[in-house]
Amino acid sequence: MQLVYMYIDSPVGALKLVAHDSALVAVMWDNEDHKRVRLAELIEKPQHPMLLKTKQQLAEYFAGQRQQFDLPLDFQGTVFQQQVWQALLSIPYGETRSYKDIARQIGNEKAVRAVGAANGKNPISIIAPCHRVIGSAGALVGFAGGLDKKQILLSLENNQS
């Protein structure tokens, strides 16, 4: 399966969108650790329909015109990681959950650390809203894009909701 990519500018810096013909595979940060999400060989194709649809929906999100994404997603990870990433998709716009909340939601309350690790490996940032997961005391912790970008995303949603 061939993966294609394009870069877009956003209020949180440059983002690298990665897809194949039928789904979005990743939204990566400009300061991305290449070991966080491993991808097969990529071909730059900025006119690919899936990438253009993603770009449009992200533009609407950043403009405060979209609260929910409507994109087919192809998460590549373990069964546990996929459970966590599916739980992320259920967090409403403008709300947050703790790692413990996510662990409870997937039926494994003691897996808080594992939830944190899976959250950190989320390949589809922003769209699978890992930025909405915070520490149990309400602190902003752990975010692949950087805590400053996590704060920008949460502020954007709080101002729009």
Side-chain angles (χ1 to χ4, degrees):
M1 182 175 339
Q2 183 172 347
L3 296 179
V4 296
Y5 76 94
M6 73 182 297
Y7 286 98
I8 63 167
D9 289 323
S10 81
V12 290
L15 297 172
K16 183 178 188 177
L17 311 180
V18 181
H20 55 64
D21 282 341
S22 57
L24 182 67
V25 174
V27 175
M28 314 280 284
W29 300 94
D30 58 351
N31 60 345
E32 187 73 48
D33 175 356
H34 69 279
K35 295 177 188 171
R36 188 180 77 82
V37 177
R38 297 190 185 270
L39 298 168
E41 185 178 334
L42 304 175
I43 296 172
E44 188 168 14
K45 206 168 193 181
Q47 296 307 313
H48 190 278
M50 187 61 61
L51 296 176
L52 292 173
K53 185 175 181 180
T54 304
K55 178 182 177 180
Q56 177 64 37
Q57 290 193 23
L58 281 167
E60 293 166 358
Y61 168 81
F62 287 119
Q65 300 165 346
R66 175 177 290 277
Q67 295 186 359
Q68 195 167 347
F69 294 94
D70 180 25
L71 297 163
L73 307 176
D74 185 4
F75 288 105
Q76 298 295 313
T78 66
V79 171
F80 181 81
Q81 287 172 328
Q82 292 199 32
Q83 286 179 315
V84 171
W85 300 334
Q86 288 301 315
L88 296 178
L89 294 171
S90 72
I91 304 172
Y93 181 92
E95 294 185 21
T96 58
R97 299 289 184 271
S98 70
Y99 295 100
K100 189 172 191 169
D101 292 335
I102 300 295
R104 265 193 223 116
Q105 182 177 340
I106 65 170
N108 194 346
E109 189 171 342
K110 295 187 187 297
V112 175
R113 286 181 170 271
V115 164
N119 196 54
K121 295 274 189 183
N122 171 24
I124 309 178
S125 296
I126 303 172
I127 292 166
C130 50
H131 61 279
R132 295 180 190 154
V133 183
I134 59 174
S136 58
L140 297 187
V141 293
F143 190 61
L147 293 181
D148 58 328
K149 293 176 182 171
K150 184 172 190 162
Q151 182 61 60
I152 290 168
L153 294 168
L154 291 173
S155 294
L156 171 94
E157 292 184 14
N158 285 332
N159 291 336
Q160 299 297 328
S161 59

